[in-house]
Amino acid sequence: MDFEKALLNPAKMFAHPRDVLKEASLTREQKVKVLKHWEYEALELEVAEEENMAGDSPSILSDVLEALHRLAVDVDTEHRPPTKQGGE
């Protein structure tokens, strides 16, 4: 598994976020980084959908957040930043 490629395009390297959890060649920290990047991409897609630039694929954000939760990463879904990309 090429970590750099997985980090750049998680959806191309993994069919589903839970597959990141199963990848034995990645450390926990690498898995978190890949999933965090995937989370950012999913948020970007949601913003595009809100701006009527929707793509053909359904949102995978909840699956990414579940995978992060399984890695015991604290994901605060109640106190999100003002914008979906994390800005103010």
Side-chain angles (χ1 to χ4, degrees), residues 15-66:
H16 193 274
R18 70 178 160 262
D19 296 334
V20 176
L21 303 176
K22 298 175 186 176
E23 182 56 52
S25 66
L26 296 178
T27 67
R28 179 188 178 280
E29 291 76 23
Q30 289 173 322
K31 291 175 184 180
V32 169
K33 285 182 181 181
V34 168
L35 289 167
K36 284 290 198 177
H37 186 82
W38 209 339
E39 176 188 18
Y40 179 81
E41 289 179 351
L43 289 170
E44 287 285 300
L45 285 174
E46 286 192 358
V47 168
E49 288 175 6
E50 287 176 1
E51 296 174 355
N52 294 322
M53 296 182 288
D56 295 333
S57 58
S59 177
I60 197 161
L61 181 59
S62 62
D63 296 325
V64 172
L65 294 176
E66 174 62 27

